PDB file of all heavy atoms in Angstrom:
ATOM      1  N   MET A  17      90.989 107.112 118.680  1.00 71.00           N
ATOM      2  CA  MET A  17      92.040 107.654 119.529  1.00 71.00           C
ATOM      3  C   MET A  17      93.068 106.615 119.984  1.00 71.00           C
ATOM      4  O   MET A  17      94.026 106.947 120.663  1.00 71.00           O
ATOM      5  CB  MET A  17      91.422 108.304 120.766  1.00 71.00           C
ATOM      6  CG  MET A  17      90.509 109.482 120.448  1.00 71.00           C
ATOM      7  SD  MET A  17      91.300 110.719 119.407  1.00 71.00           S
ATOM      8  CE  MET A  17      92.628 111.249 120.469  1.00 71.00           C
ATOM      9  N   GLY A  18      92.870 105.364 119.651  1.00 64.00           N
ATOM     10  CA  GLY A  18      93.835 104.344 120.065  1.00 64.00           C
ATOM     11  C   GLY A  18      93.281 102.957 119.810  1.00 64.00           C
ATOM     12  O   GLY A  18      92.110 102.780 119.448  1.00 64.00           O
ATOM     13  N   GLU A  19      94.143 101.961 120.004  1.00 66.00           N
ATOM     14  CA  GLU A  19      93.708 100.587 119.738  1.00 66.00           C
ATOM     15  C   GLU A  19      92.556 100.162 120.637  1.00 66.00           C
ATOM     16  O   GLU A  19      91.633  99.482 120.197  1.00 66.00           O
ATOM     17  CB  GLU A  19      94.894  99.619 119.892  1.00 66.00           C
ATOM     18  CG  GLU A  19      95.765  99.583 118.668  1.00 66.00           C
ATOM     19  CD  GLU A  19      97.195 100.056 118.902  1.00 66.00           C
ATOM     20  OE1 GLU A  19      97.420 100.960 119.722  1.00 66.00           O
ATOM     21  OE2 GLU A  19      98.082  99.504 118.251  1.00 66.00           O
ATOM     22  N   LEU A  20      92.595 100.569 121.930  1.00 71.00           N
ATOM     23  CA  LEU A  20      91.504 100.203 122.839  1.00 71.00           C
ATOM     24  C   LEU A  20      90.191 100.836 122.376  1.00 71.00           C
ATOM     25  O   LEU A  20      89.134 100.195 122.401  1.00 71.00           O
ATOM     26  CB  LEU A  20      91.829 100.635 124.265  1.00 71.00           C
ATOM     27  CG  LEU A  20      90.728 100.369 125.304  1.00 71.00           C
ATOM     28  CD1 LEU A  20      90.433  98.872 125.408  1.00 71.00           C
ATOM     29  CD2 LEU A  20      91.111 100.923 126.668  1.00 71.00           C
ATOM     30  N   HIS A  21      90.255 102.079 121.947  1.00 77.00           N
ATOM     31  CA  HIS A  21      89.075 102.782 121.452  1.00 77.00           C
ATOM     32  C   HIS A  21      88.424 101.985 120.316  1.00 77.00           C
ATOM     33  O   HIS A  21      87.207 101.718 120.335  1.00 77.00           O
ATOM     34  CB  HIS A  21      89.503 104.166 120.965  1.00 77.00           C
ATOM     35  CG  HIS A  21      88.374 105.060 120.578  1.00 77.00           C
ATOM     36  ND1 HIS A  21      88.556 106.218 119.864  1.00 77.00           N
ATOM     37  CD2 HIS A  21      87.046 104.970 120.777  1.00 77.00           C
ATOM     38  CE1 HIS A  21      87.387 106.807 119.667  1.00 77.00           C
ATOM     39  NE2 HIS A  21      86.451 106.066 120.201  1.00 77.00           N
ATOM     40  N   LEU A  22      89.228 101.578 119.323  1.00 80.00           N
ATOM     41  CA  LEU A  22      88.676 100.864 118.176  1.00 80.00           C
ATOM     42  C   LEU A  22      88.247  99.446 118.554  1.00 80.00           C
ATOM     43  O   LEU A  22      87.305  98.899 117.978  1.00 80.00           O
ATOM     44  CB  LEU A  22      89.693 100.838 117.036  1.00 80.00           C
ATOM     45  CG  LEU A  22      90.030 102.216 116.447  1.00 80.00           C
ATOM     46  CD1 LEU A  22      90.982 102.075 115.264  1.00 80.00           C
ATOM     47  CD2 LEU A  22      88.771 102.955 116.012  1.00 80.00           C
ATOM     48  N   GLU A  23      88.928  98.866 119.533  1.00 78.00           N
ATOM     49  CA  GLU A  23      88.520  97.542 120.017  1.00 78.00           C
ATOM     50  C   GLU A  23      87.130  97.606 120.652  1.00 78.00           C
ATOM     51  O   GLU A  23      86.284  96.736 120.439  1.00 78.00           O
ATOM     52  CB  GLU A  23      89.547  97.037 121.037  1.00 78.00           C
ATOM     53  CG  GLU A  23      89.310  95.611 121.497  1.00 78.00           C
ATOM     54  CD  GLU A  23      90.300  95.194 122.580  1.00 78.00           C
ATOM     55  OE1 GLU A  23      91.458  95.663 122.552  1.00 78.00           O
ATOM     56  OE2 GLU A  23      89.903  94.414 123.460  1.00 78.00           O
ATOM     57  N   ILE A  24      86.887  98.672 121.434  1.00 80.00           N
ATOM     58  CA  ILE A  24      85.571  98.855 122.058  1.00 80.00           C
ATOM     59  C   ILE A  24      84.509  99.088 120.982  1.00 80.00           C
ATOM     60  O   ILE A  24      83.388  98.576 121.071  1.00 80.00           O
ATOM     61  CB  ILE A  24      85.593 100.038 123.052  1.00 80.00           C
ATOM     62  CG1 ILE A  24      86.543  99.743 124.228  1.00 80.00           C
ATOM     63  CG2 ILE A  24      84.195 100.352 123.558  1.00 80.00           C
ATOM     64  CD1 ILE A  24      86.102  98.628 125.143  1.00 80.00           C
ATOM     65  N   ILE A  25      84.853  99.854 119.953  1.00 82.00           N
ATOM     66  CA  ILE A  25      83.911 100.096 118.841  1.00 82.00           C
ATOM     67  C   ILE A  25      83.519  98.762 118.200  1.00 82.00           C
ATOM     68  O   ILE A  25      82.330  98.491 117.958  1.00 82.00           O
ATOM     69  CB  ILE A  25      84.542 101.030 117.788  1.00 82.00           C
ATOM     70  CG1 ILE A  25      84.716 102.448 118.349  1.00 82.00           C
ATOM     71  CG2 ILE A  25      83.721 101.022 116.497  1.00 82.00           C
ATOM     72  CD1 ILE A  25      83.436 103.238 118.512  1.00 82.00           C
ATOM     73  N   ARG A  26      84.499  97.926 117.918  1.00 81.00           N
ATOM     74  CA  ARG A  26      84.203  96.612 117.319  1.00 81.00           C
ATOM     75  C   ARG A  26      83.317  95.782 118.228  1.00 81.00           C
ATOM     76  O   ARG A  26      82.382  95.108 117.787  1.00 81.00           O
ATOM     77  CB  ARG A  26      85.509  95.849 117.058  1.00 81.00           C
ATOM     78  CG  ARG A  26      86.004  95.937 115.640  1.00 81.00           C
ATOM     79  CD  ARG A  26      87.198  95.040 115.420  1.00 81.00           C
ATOM     80  NE  ARG A  26      86.819  93.640 115.363  1.00 81.00           N
ATOM     81  CZ  ARG A  26      87.683  92.629 115.456  1.00 81.00           C
ATOM     82  NH1 ARG A  26      88.963  92.877 115.651  1.00 81.00           N
ATOM     83  NH2 ARG A  26      87.281  91.382 115.371  1.00 81.00           N
ATOM     84  N   ASP A  27      83.614  95.843 119.520  1.00 80.00           N
ATOM     85  CA  ASP A  27      82.832  95.083 120.498  1.00 80.00           C
ATOM     86  C   ASP A  27      81.389  95.588 120.530  1.00 80.00           C
ATOM     87  O   ASP A  27      80.436  94.802 120.599  1.00 80.00           O
ATOM     88  CB  ASP A  27      83.492  95.221 121.879  1.00 80.00           C
ATOM     89  CG  ASP A  27      83.033  94.138 122.841  1.00 80.00           C
ATOM     90  OD1 ASP A  27      82.676  93.044 122.359  1.00 80.00           O
ATOM     91  OD2 ASP A  27      83.025  94.376 124.064  1.00 80.00           O
ATOM     92  N   ARG A  28      81.219  96.900 120.465  1.00 80.00           N
ATOM     93  CA  ARG A  28      79.866  97.467 120.478  1.00 80.00           C
ATOM     94  C   ARG A  28      79.106  97.114 119.196  1.00 80.00           C
ATOM     95  O   ARG A  28      77.890  96.886 119.219  1.00 80.00           O
ATOM     96  CB  ARG A  28      79.927  98.983 120.666  1.00 80.00           C
ATOM     97  CG  ARG A  28      80.370  99.408 122.062  1.00 80.00           C
ATOM     98  CD  ARG A  28      80.206 100.901 122.263  1.00 80.00           C
ATOM     99  NE  ARG A  28      78.792 101.289 122.211  1.00 80.00           N
ATOM    100  CZ  ARG A  28      78.386 102.558 122.190  1.00 80.00           C
ATOM    101  NH1 ARG A  28      79.267 103.549 122.191  1.00 80.00           N
ATOM    102  NH2 ARG A  28      77.101 102.851 122.143  1.00 80.00           N
ATOM    103  N   LEU A  29      79.810  97.079 118.069  1.00 82.00           N
ATOM    104  CA  LEU A  29      79.160  96.659 116.824  1.00 82.00           C
ATOM    105  C   LEU A  29      78.589  95.252 116.966  1.00 82.00           C
ATOM    106  O   LEU A  29      77.481  94.966 116.507  1.00 82.00           O
ATOM    107  CB  LEU A  29      80.163  96.687 115.661  1.00 82.00           C
ATOM    108  CG  LEU A  29      80.515  98.051 115.073  1.00 82.00           C
ATOM    109  CD1 LEU A  29      81.686  97.918 114.109  1.00 82.00           C
ATOM    110  CD2 LEU A  29      79.307  98.666 114.359  1.00 82.00           C
ATOM    111  N   PHE A  30      79.351  94.390 117.613  1.00 80.00           N
ATOM    112  CA  PHE A  30      78.925  93.003 117.787  1.00 80.00           C
ATOM    113  C   PHE A  30      77.755  92.906 118.761  1.00 80.00           C
ATOM    114  O   PHE A  30      76.749  92.245 118.494  1.00 80.00           O
ATOM    115  CB  PHE A  30      80.107  92.160 118.269  1.00 80.00           C
ATOM    116  CG  PHE A  30      79.731  90.742 118.627  1.00 80.00           C
ATOM    117  CD1 PHE A  30      79.329  89.850 117.647  1.00 80.00           C
ATOM    118  CD2 PHE A  30      79.770  90.303 119.939  1.00 80.00           C
ATOM    119  CE1 PHE A  30      78.976  88.552 117.967  1.00 80.00           C
ATOM    120  CE2 PHE A  30      79.416  89.014 120.270  1.00 80.00           C
ATOM    121  CZ  PHE A  30      79.015  88.129 119.283  1.00 80.00           C
ATOM    122  N   ARG A  31      77.863  93.594 119.901  1.00 77.00           N
ATOM    123  CA  ARG A  31      76.852  93.434 120.951  1.00 77.00           C
ATOM    124  C   ARG A  31      75.569  94.207 120.665  1.00 77.00           C
ATOM    125  O   ARG A  31      74.478  93.713 120.900  1.00 77.00           O
ATOM    126  CB  ARG A  31      77.413  93.901 122.294  1.00 77.00           C
ATOM    127  CG  ARG A  31      78.575  93.051 122.762  1.00 77.00           C
ATOM    128  CD  ARG A  31      78.910  93.363 124.195  1.00 77.00           C
ATOM    129  NE  ARG A  31      80.208  92.809 124.553  1.00 77.00           N
ATOM    130  CZ  ARG A  31      80.526  92.390 125.753  1.00 77.00           C
ATOM    131  NH1 ARG A  31      79.642  92.438 126.714  1.00 77.00           N
ATOM    132  NH2 ARG A  31      81.718  91.912 126.017  1.00 77.00           N
ATOM    133  N   GLU A  32      75.713  95.448 120.193  1.00 79.00           N
ATOM    134  CA  GLU A  32      74.536  96.302 120.040  1.00 79.00           C
ATOM    135  C   GLU A  32      73.895  96.203 118.660  1.00 79.00           C
ATOM    136  O   GLU A  32      72.693  96.403 118.516  1.00 79.00           O
ATOM    137  CB  GLU A  32      74.909  97.758 120.338  1.00 79.00           C
ATOM    138  CG  GLU A  32      75.368  97.983 121.773  1.00 79.00           C
ATOM    139  CD  GLU A  32      75.899  99.390 122.002  1.00 79.00           C
ATOM    140  OE1 GLU A  32      75.418 100.321 121.330  1.00 79.00           O
ATOM    141  OE2 GLU A  32      76.792  99.550 122.857  1.00 79.00           O
ATOM    142  N   PHE A  33      74.718  95.907 117.644  1.00 81.00           N
ATOM    143  CA  PHE A  33      74.179  95.873 116.284  1.00 81.00           C
ATOM    144  C   PHE A  33      74.276  94.490 115.651  1.00 81.00           C
ATOM    145  O   PHE A  33      73.923  94.316 114.487  1.00 81.00           O
ATOM    146  CB  PHE A  33      74.907  96.906 115.413  1.00 81.00           C
ATOM    147  CG  PHE A  33      74.764  98.310 115.926  1.00 81.00           C
ATOM    148  CD1 PHE A  33      75.724  98.880 116.751  1.00 81.00           C
ATOM    149  CD2 PHE A  33      73.644  99.061 115.617  1.00 81.00           C
ATOM    150  CE1 PHE A  33      75.585 100.167 117.238  1.00 81.00           C
ATOM    151  CE2 PHE A  33      73.494 100.351 116.100  1.00 81.00           C
ATOM    152  CZ  PHE A  33      74.463 100.908 116.911  1.00 81.00           C
ATOM    153  N   LYS A  34      74.797  93.519 116.417  1.00 83.00           N
ATOM    154  CA  LYS A  34      74.872  92.113 115.978  1.00 83.00           C
ATOM    155  C   LYS A  34      75.640  91.973 114.661  1.00 83.00           C
ATOM    156  O   LYS A  34      75.263  91.232 113.765  1.00 83.00           O
ATOM    157  CB  LYS A  34      73.471  91.518 115.825  1.00 83.00           C
ATOM    158  CG  LYS A  34      72.591  91.652 117.081  1.00 83.00           C
ATOM    159  CD  LYS A  34      73.151  90.847 118.247  1.00 83.00           C
ATOM    160  CE  LYS A  34      72.250  90.873 119.472  1.00 83.00           C
ATOM    161  NZ  LYS A  34      72.511  92.019 120.348  1.00 83.00           N
ATOM    162  N   VAL A  35      76.753  92.714 114.555  1.00 83.00           N
ATOM    163  CA  VAL A  35      77.573  92.682 113.346  1.00 83.00           C
ATOM    164  C   VAL A  35      78.872  91.942 113.631  1.00 83.00           C
ATOM    165  O   VAL A  35      79.604  92.285 114.562  1.00 83.00           O
ATOM    166  CB  VAL A  35      77.907  94.117 112.864  1.00 83.00           C
ATOM    167  CG1 VAL A  35      78.843  94.067 111.667  1.00 83.00           C
ATOM    168  CG2 VAL A  35      76.634  94.862 112.508  1.00 83.00           C
ATOM    169  N   GLU A  36      79.162  90.925 112.823  1.00 81.00           N
ATOM    170  CA  GLU A  36      80.460  90.251 112.889  1.00 81.00           C
ATOM    171  C   GLU A  36      81.365  90.926 111.867  1.00 81.00           C
ATOM    172  O   GLU A  36      81.036  90.995 110.679  1.00 81.00           O
ATOM    173  CB  GLU A  36      80.309  88.763 112.540  1.00 81.00           C
ATOM    174  CG  GLU A  36      79.545  87.958 113.588  1.00 81.00           C
ATOM    175  CD  GLU A  36      80.453  87.467 114.716  1.00 81.00           C
ATOM    176  OE1 GLU A  36      81.631  87.888 114.739  1.00 81.00           O
ATOM    177  OE2 GLU A  36      79.980  86.682 115.553  1.00 81.00           O
ATOM    178  N   ALA A  37      82.493  91.453 112.312  1.00 79.00           N
ATOM    179  CA  ALA A  37      83.378  92.182 111.398  1.00 79.00           C
ATOM    180  C   ALA A  37      84.835  91.890 111.729  1.00 79.00           C
ATOM    181  O   ALA A  37      85.188  91.645 112.880  1.00 79.00           O
ATOM    182  CB  ALA A  37      83.102  93.675 111.468  1.00 79.00           C
ATOM    183  N   GLU A  38      85.649  91.918 110.712  1.00 80.00           N
ATOM    184  CA  GLU A  38      87.087  91.723 110.873  1.00 80.00           C
ATOM    185  C   GLU A  38      87.794  93.045 110.625  1.00 80.00           C
ATOM    186  O   GLU A  38      87.433  93.792 109.710  1.00 80.00           O
ATOM    187  CB  GLU A  38      87.609  90.677 109.871  1.00 80.00           C
ATOM    188  CG  GLU A  38      87.077  89.274 110.109  1.00 80.00           C
ATOM    189  CD  GLU A  38      87.518  88.705 111.451  1.00 80.00           C
ATOM    190  OE1 GLU A  38      88.629  89.051 111.903  1.00 80.00           O
ATOM    191  OE2 GLU A  38      86.745  87.929 112.043  1.00 80.00           O
ATOM    192  N   ALA A  39      88.795  93.325 111.426  1.00 77.00           N
ATOM    193  CA  ALA A  39      89.543  94.574 111.276  1.00 77.00           C
ATOM    194  C   ALA A  39      90.979  94.269 110.884  1.00 77.00           C
ATOM    195  O   ALA A  39      91.541  93.240 111.252  1.00 77.00           O
ATOM    196  CB  ALA A  39      89.516  95.363 112.581  1.00 77.00           C
ATOM    197  N   GLY A  40      91.552  95.162 110.114  1.00 76.00           N
ATOM    198  CA  GLY A  40      92.951  95.007 109.720  1.00 76.00           C
ATOM    199  C   GLY A  40      93.534  96.358 109.406  1.00 76.00           C
ATOM    200  O   GLY A  40      92.851  97.377 109.460  1.00 76.00           O
ATOM    201  N   LYS A  41      94.801  96.385 109.067  1.00 66.00           N
ATOM    202  CA  LYS A  41      95.426  97.663 108.736  1.00 66.00           C
ATOM    203  C   LYS A  41      94.921  98.152 107.382  1.00 66.00           C
ATOM    204  O   LYS A  41      94.798  97.374 106.450  1.00 66.00           O
ATOM    205  CB  LYS A  41      96.947  97.513 108.675  1.00 66.00           C
ATOM    206  CG  LYS A  41      97.616  97.358 110.024  1.00 66.00           C
ATOM    207  CD  LYS A  41      99.126  97.303 109.847  1.00 66.00           C
ATOM    208  CE  LYS A  41      99.823  97.123 111.195  1.00 66.00           C
ATOM    209  NZ  LYS A  41     101.288  97.015 111.023  1.00 66.00           N
ATOM    210  N   PRO A  42      94.651  99.438 107.258  1.00 57.00           N
ATOM    211  CA  PRO A  42      94.274  99.956 105.943  1.00 57.00           C
ATOM    212  C   PRO A  42      95.498  99.999 105.030  1.00 57.00           C
ATOM    213  O   PRO A  42      96.622 100.111 105.505  1.00 57.00           O
ATOM    214  CB  PRO A  42      93.783 101.370 106.244  1.00 57.00           C
ATOM    215  CG  PRO A  42      94.505 101.744 107.490  1.00 57.00           C
ATOM    216  CD  PRO A  42      94.671 100.479 108.279  1.00 57.00           C
ATOM    217  N   GLN A  43      95.254  99.897 103.736  1.00 59.00           N
ATOM    218  CA  GLN A  43      96.368 100.050 102.811  1.00 59.00           C
ATOM    219  C   GLN A  43      96.705 101.528 102.686  1.00 59.00           C
ATOM    220  O   GLN A  43      95.810 102.364 102.618  1.00 59.00           O
ATOM    221  CB  GLN A  43      95.985  99.496 101.435  1.00 59.00           C
ATOM    222  CG  GLN A  43      95.763  97.997 101.423  1.00 59.00           C
ATOM    223  CD  GLN A  43      95.409  97.516 100.038  1.00 59.00           C
ATOM    224  OE1 GLN A  43      95.681  98.188  99.052  1.00 59.00           O
ATOM    225  NE2 GLN A  43      94.796  96.356  99.956  1.00 59.00           N
ATOM    226  N   ILE A  44      97.983 101.799 102.652  1.00 71.00           N
ATOM    227  CA  ILE A  44      98.406 103.187 102.465  1.00 71.00           C
ATOM    228  C   ILE A  44      98.267 103.540 100.992  1.00 71.00           C
ATOM    229  O   ILE A  44      98.604 102.748 100.119  1.00 71.00           O
ATOM    230  CB  ILE A  44      99.867 103.365 102.926  1.00 71.00           C
ATOM    231  CG1 ILE A  44      99.975 103.103 104.425  1.00 71.00           C
ATOM    232  CG2 ILE A  44     100.378 104.759 102.592  1.00 71.00           C
ATOM    233  CD1 ILE A  44     101.384 103.110 104.940  1.00 71.00           C
ATOM    234  N   SER A  45      97.760 104.710 100.711  1.00 71.00           N
ATOM    235  CA  SER A  45      97.616 105.159  99.325  1.00 71.00           C
ATOM    236  C   SER A  45      98.922 105.811  98.868  1.00 71.00           C
ATOM    237  O   SER A  45      99.146 107.004  99.066  1.00 71.00           O
ATOM    238  CB  SER A  45      96.460 106.156  99.210  1.00 71.00           C
ATOM    239  OG  SER A  45      95.245 105.526  99.503  1.00 71.00           O
ATOM    240  N   TYR A  46      99.787 104.981  98.277  1.00 83.00           N
ATOM    241  CA  TYR A  46     101.032 105.510  97.717  1.00 83.00           C
ATOM    242  C   TYR A  46     100.729 106.232  96.410  1.00 83.00           C
ATOM    243  O   TYR A  46      99.633 106.160  95.866  1.00 83.00           O
ATOM    244  CB  TYR A  46     102.024 104.373  97.466  1.00 83.00           C
ATOM    245  CG  TYR A  46     102.538 103.719  98.729  1.00 83.00           C
ATOM    246  CD1 TYR A  46     101.942 102.557  99.218  1.00 83.00           C
ATOM    247  CD2 TYR A  46     103.605 104.265  99.430  1.00 83.00           C
ATOM    248  CE1 TYR A  46     102.398 101.954 100.377  1.00 83.00           C
ATOM    249  CE2 TYR A  46     104.070 103.677 100.590  1.00 83.00           C
ATOM    250  CZ  TYR A  46     103.464 102.519 101.058  1.00 83.00           C
ATOM    251  OH  TYR A  46     103.915 101.934 102.208  1.00 83.00           O
ATOM    252  N   ARG A  47     101.713 106.936  95.882  1.00 89.00           N
ATOM    253  CA  ARG A  47     101.622 107.587  94.579  1.00 89.00           C
ATOM    254  C   ARG A  47     102.889 107.266  93.790  1.00 89.00           C
ATOM    255  O   ARG A  47     103.900 106.859  94.351  1.00 89.00           O
ATOM    256  CB  ARG A  47     101.506 109.111  94.743  1.00 89.00           C
ATOM    257  CG  ARG A  47     100.266 109.572  95.484  1.00 89.00           C
ATOM    258  CD  ARG A  47      99.028 109.408  94.630  1.00 89.00           C
ATOM    259  NE  ARG A  47      97.847 109.965  95.282  1.00 89.00           N
ATOM    260  CZ  ARG A  47      97.024 109.291  96.074  1.00 89.00           C
ATOM    261  NH1 ARG A  47      97.273 108.008  96.315  1.00 89.00           N
ATOM    262  NH2 ARG A  47      95.976 109.872  96.607  1.00 89.00           N
ATOM    263  N   GLU A  48     102.816 107.469  92.465  1.00 92.00           N
ATOM    264  CA  GLU A  48     103.996 107.333  91.619  1.00 92.00           C
ATOM    265  C   GLU A  48     104.174 108.615  90.824  1.00 92.00           C
ATOM    266  O   GLU A  48     103.220 109.372  90.611  1.00 92.00           O
ATOM    267  CB  GLU A  48     103.843 106.134  90.673  1.00 92.00           C
ATOM    268  CG  GLU A  48     103.721 104.805  91.408  1.00 92.00           C
ATOM    269  CD  GLU A  48     103.549 103.614  90.471  1.00 92.00           C
ATOM    270  OE1 GLU A  48     103.973 103.721  89.302  1.00 92.00           O
ATOM    271  OE2 GLU A  48     102.998 102.590  90.910  1.00 92.00           O
ATOM    272  N   THR A  49     105.401 108.877  90.397  1.00 94.00           N
ATOM    273  CA  THR A  49     105.655 110.016  89.521  1.00 94.00           C
ATOM    274  C   THR A  49     106.880 109.717  88.666  1.00 94.00           C
ATOM    275  O   THR A  49     107.524 108.674  88.820  1.00 94.00           O
ATOM    276  CB  THR A  49     105.842 111.315  90.324  1.00 94.00           C
ATOM    277  OG1 THR A  49     105.704 112.430  89.450  1.00 94.00           O
ATOM    278  CG2 THR A  49     107.200 111.375  91.030  1.00 94.00           C
ATOM    279  N   ILE A  50     107.190 110.645  87.759  1.00 95.00           N
ATOM    280  CA  ILE A  50     108.362 110.471  86.889  1.00 95.00           C
ATOM    281  C   ILE A  50     109.393 111.533  87.242  1.00 95.00           C
ATOM    282  O   ILE A  50     109.054 112.572  87.817  1.00 95.00           O
ATOM    283  CB  ILE A  50     107.975 110.560  85.405  1.00 95.00           C
ATOM    284  CG1 ILE A  50     107.269 111.899  85.126  1.00 95.00           C
ATOM    285  CG2 ILE A  50     107.072 109.388  85.016  1.00 95.00           C
ATOM    286  CD1 ILE A  50     107.024 112.181  83.660  1.00 95.00           C
ATOM    287  N   THR A  51     110.637 111.270  86.876  1.00 94.00           N
ATOM    288  CA  THR A  51     111.709 112.201  87.256  1.00 94.00           C
ATOM    289  C   THR A  51     112.410 112.838  86.055  1.00 94.00           C
ATOM    290  O   THR A  51     113.106 113.842  86.204  1.00 94.00           O
ATOM    291  CB  THR A  51     112.761 111.489  88.127  1.00 94.00           C
ATOM    292  OG1 THR A  51     113.257 110.339  87.423  1.00 94.00           O
ATOM    293  CG2 THR A  51     112.139 111.030  89.449  1.00 94.00           C
ATOM    294  N   VAL A  52     112.266 112.233  84.849  1.00 96.00           N
ATOM    295  CA  VAL A  52     112.871 112.826  83.643  1.00 96.00           C
ATOM    296  C   VAL A  52     111.848 112.778  82.510  1.00 96.00           C
ATOM    297  O   VAL A  52     110.870 112.036  82.571  1.00 96.00           O
ATOM    298  CB  VAL A  52     114.162 112.077  83.202  1.00 96.00           C
ATOM    299  CG1 VAL A  52     115.221 112.159  84.286  1.00 96.00           C
ATOM    300  CG2 VAL A  52     113.857 110.631  82.836  1.00 96.00           C
ATOM    301  N   ALA A  53     112.087 113.568  81.479  1.00 96.00           N
ATOM    302  CA  ALA A  53     111.202 113.569  80.313  1.00 96.00           C
ATOM    303  C   ALA A  53     111.519 112.371  79.416  1.00 96.00           C
ATOM    304  O   ALA A  53     112.661 111.910  79.343  1.00 96.00           O
ATOM    305  CB  ALA A  53     111.362 114.869  79.534  1.00 96.00           C
ATOM    306  N   ALA A  54     110.488 111.865  78.745  1.00 96.00           N
ATOM    307  CA  ALA A  54     110.683 110.725  77.842  1.00 96.00           C
ATOM    308  C   ALA A  54     109.568 110.701  76.810  1.00 96.00           C
ATOM    309  O   ALA A  54     108.460 111.187  77.053  1.00 96.00           O
ATOM    310  CB  ALA A  54     110.710 109.422  78.632  1.00 96.00           C
ATOM    311  N   ASP A  55     109.885 110.146  75.624  1.00 96.00           N
ATOM    312  CA  ASP A  55     108.871 109.983  74.584  1.00 96.00           C
ATOM    313  C   ASP A  55     108.227 108.614  74.713  1.00 96.00           C
ATOM    314  O   ASP A  55     108.863 107.645  75.157  1.00 96.00           O
ATOM    315  CB  ASP A  55     109.499 110.122  73.193  1.00 96.00           C
ATOM    316  CG  ASP A  55     109.960 111.545  72.916  1.00 96.00           C
ATOM    317  OD1 ASP A  55     109.434 112.469  73.588  1.00 96.00           O
ATOM    318  OD2 ASP A  55     110.846 111.737  72.060  1.00 96.00           O
ATOM    319  N   GLY A  56     106.978 108.538  74.294  1.00 96.00           N
ATOM    320  CA  GLY A  56     106.273 107.260  74.321  1.00 96.00           C
ATOM    321  C   GLY A  56     105.514 107.047  73.035  1.00 96.00           C
ATOM    322  O   GLY A  56     104.916 107.987  72.488  1.00 96.00           O
TER     323      GLY A  56
END
């Protein structure tokens, strides 16, 4: 629900489950497509 929420989750992982973890932004799953017909 927010940055504080996930910060608390990370903190609980460390304190209650003894897990050291790094967090970062997820990669966005982009897509590609074509716009005209072509031979290959």
Side-chain angles (χ1 to χ4, degrees):
M17 298 307 297
E19 279 117 326
L20 177 61
H21 187 194
L22 295 184
E23 186 184 327
I24 296 293
I25 292 288
R26 262 186 74 195
D27 198 28
R28 290 189 65 189
L29 283 170
F30 173 68
R31 296 192 194 211
E32 297 173 31
F33 300 95
K34 306 295 184 273
V35 176
E36 291 275 8
E38 294 296 328
K41 287 183 181 178
Q43 294 181 20
I44 296 174
S45 295
Y46 292 96
R47 298 288 185 269
E48 298 179 24
T49 196
I50 56 172
T51 56
V52 298
D55 291 338

